[in-house]
Amino acid sequence: MKSDKGKNMSDLVVKSNRLNTAIQNLSLVEIRLIQIAIIDSRETQTGLTSDSPLVISAKRYAECFNVEIDTAYDVLLAAESTLFERRFSFVNERDNQVKTRWVSQVEYIRGDGAIEVILTPAVVKEITRINGIENFFTKYTLGQTAVLNSAYSVRLYELVTQWRKATKTHLFDIETFRGQLGLGVNDYQRMSDFKRRVLDSAVAEINEKTDLKISYDQEKKKSKIIGFKFKVSEKERTKSVLKASNGKDCNTADMFTVKGLSDKQIGRIARNAKFMADYNHLVSSTSPAGQDSSAWEFEMTNRLKRDASQFKKRPIRDYLDL
């Protein structure tokens, strides 16, 4: 199995709007695996052909979604049987409905705690033909959806983030919308149940945890709800100011992010003895990061890039001077 050590993966999920709006029924775990597959396939150019499969390790999954390594092993083992069976449909450029799978092959690599996948031609086409016309593609950072605990929340985020520049979406027809969220024909058929158990909870989680603030209006025909339109806006950064220990005024948002820092600087922070002492409790002593300095640096660098707000004992940049 290829080593994860030293990889400097982007966490940008990029796919065509056509793929983004597909009718699908992935679980939360399966959505996350497809997200990793999209990112790593684009970055490494593997998994796109039958002679170049993509390896997704338990370590990679655990670091992306901040779960225990044992949980990641269980996820990958389960995915061997479920992910291959997952199908989706979309409308192609000829205005015909296409039905396909996400992966054409999946294999659990026993002893390595990893799965090896090959994406189907339809998926490859929709994640690789990035030709500079940004209006036709949806992109977001993995960190925004990694914190979401519901497949409905992730799918709604993906659907509305496509409209963040426009600030308002088109009308999501209710039946198509249900399929895009991953609901079956018999799931939450009553509108009150759909709104309470799916839509409202997804909106609330997105508003609480991500960079978007969304709301919706329902559209009716006579007395029947036929769809929803969403308003989408990006949250403003926190503007509160703290008095730093050196007596200077510092913006809170800047103090606890790695924005503007190079990979080399972030690596220095992760290796800093004080940083290690402050955050040693974040990893298990039996995990790779708890036993090996290189694994520690790899994991903490990724955590800092993904969500530095969890490191609040002191301003992040202070570790460069300690």
Side-chain angles (χ1 to χ4, degrees):
M1 187 183 79
K2 295 178 182 178
S3 171
D4 286 336
K5 188 181 292 186
K7 282 186 180 178
N8 182 26
M9 294 293 187
S10 163
D11 69 344
L12 194 65
V13 181
V14 185
K15 51 186 175 179
S16 71
N17 291 347
R18 181 161 53 219
L19 182 60
N20 187 52
T21 57
I23 306 298
Q24 64 178 55
N25 64 340
L26 296 173
S27 68
L28 178 61
V29 163
E30 291 161 348
I31 289 175
R32 288 174 167 179
L33 286 171
I34 292 297
Q35 288 174 325
I36 294 176
I38 288 174
I39 293 170
D40 290 5
S41 292
R42 187 185 70 247
E43 294 292 324
T44 66
Q45 294 299 295
T46 57
L48 305 178
T49 62
S50 59
D51 59 355
S52 181
L54 172 71
V55 173
I56 303 174
S57 69
K59 179 182 177 183
R60 173 86 166 121
Y61 186 95
E63 289 171 344
C64 283
F65 302 106
N66 196 26
V67 300
E68 295 293 332
I69 192 69
D70 288 344
T71 299
Y73 286 134
D74 292 340
V75 162
L76 297 188
L77 183 59
E80 179 188 25
S81 59
T82 62
L83 191 57
F84 179 74
E85 298 300 328
R86 296 303 189 188
R87 297 168 171 82
F88 69 97
S89 63
F90 63 93
V91 177
N92 67 11
E93 59 272 9
R94 295 194 295 267
D95 205 29
N96 295 323
Q97 187 179 59
V98 177
K99 296 180 180 178
T100 185
R101 298 176 188 262
W102 289 96
V103 297
S104 59
Q105 180 176 307
V106 58
E107 175 186 354
Y108 182 75
I109 307 175
R110 302 188 182 280
D112 286 339
I115 59 170
E116 192 175 82
V117 301
I118 299 173
L119 300 171
T120 59
V123 175
V124 170
K125 179 180 178 181
E126 301 304 320
I127 68 173
T128 58
R129 61 184 192 91
I130 309 302
N131 57 9
I133 308 175
E134 291 192 1
N135 290 339
F136 298 124
F137 293 90
T138 298
K139 58 184 178 181
Y140 60 89
T141 56
L142 184 61
Q144 292 302 327
T145 60
V147 296
L148 300 176
N149 297 317
S150 163
Y152 305 136
S153 300
V154 176
R155 282 300 289 142
L156 182 57
Y157 181 93
E158 289 182 323
L159 292 168
V160 299
T161 198
Q162 182 176 318
W163 297 84
R164 66 166 66 209
K165 289 185 179 180
T167 71
K168 293 182 181 179
T169 72
H170 67 181
L171 176 68
F172 285 91
D173 169 79
I174 184 61
E175 293 306 318
T176 301
F177 185 44
R178 285 171 54 86
Q180 290 170 326
L181 293 177
L183 290 170
V185 292
N186 296 318
D187 296 332
Y188 305 117
Q189 289 182 313
R190 294 177 57 185
M191 182 58 68
S192 58
D193 291 337
F194 169 75
K195 290 173 65 175
R196 178 170 57 89
R197 302 292 296 275
V198 178
L199 184 56
D200 289 343
S201 60
V203 168
E205 189 175 26
I206 288 169
N207 287 341
E208 177 187 355
K209 298 179 179 179
T210 76
D211 59 339
L212 295 183
K213 183 76 173 178
I214 67 173
S215 61
Y216 68 85
D217 295 313
Q218 56 193 33
E219 189 157 317
K220 293 184 177 181
K221 188 173 184 179
K222 295 183 179 180
S223 60
K224 182 180 180 180
I225 296 175
I226 61 171
F228 300 90
K229 292 181 178 179
F230 292 84
K231 295 177 182 177
V232 187
S233 61
E234 296 182 349
K235 294 176 183 174
E236 290 188 12
R237 287 181 176 273
T238 303
K239 300 298 184 182
S240 58
V241 175
L242 294 180
K243 194 74 171 178
S245 57
N246 61 4
K248 296 179 181 179
D249 288 337
C250 295
N251 186 285
T252 304
D254 291 336
M255 290 169 65
F256 298 101
T257 72
V258 294
K259 183 179 180 181
L261 295 180
S262 67
D263 288 350
K264 186 174 181 180
Q265 288 175 310
I266 297 172
R268 278 177 52 201
I269 291 171
R271 295 191 302 271
N272 181 278
K274 182 61 178 174
F275 179 88
M276 296 173 72
D278 284 346
Y279 299 109
N280 189 52
H281 65 282
L282 294 180
V283 300
S284 167
S285 60
T286 60
S287 69
Q291 298 180 343
D292 179 76
S293 59
S294 295
W296 164 274
E297 181 180 346
F298 179 83
E299 179 164 341
M300 288 302 150
T301 297
N302 276 285
R303 289 196 189 190
L304 283 162
K305 289 180 178 180
R306 186 169 66 243
D307 180 19
S309 65
Q310 63 186 292
F311 302 99
K312 292 184 176 180
K313 290 199 172 183
R314 65 180 68 238
I316 296 294
R317 286 163 175 76
D318 282 8
Y319 292 103
L320 291 172
D321 302 318
L322 293 175

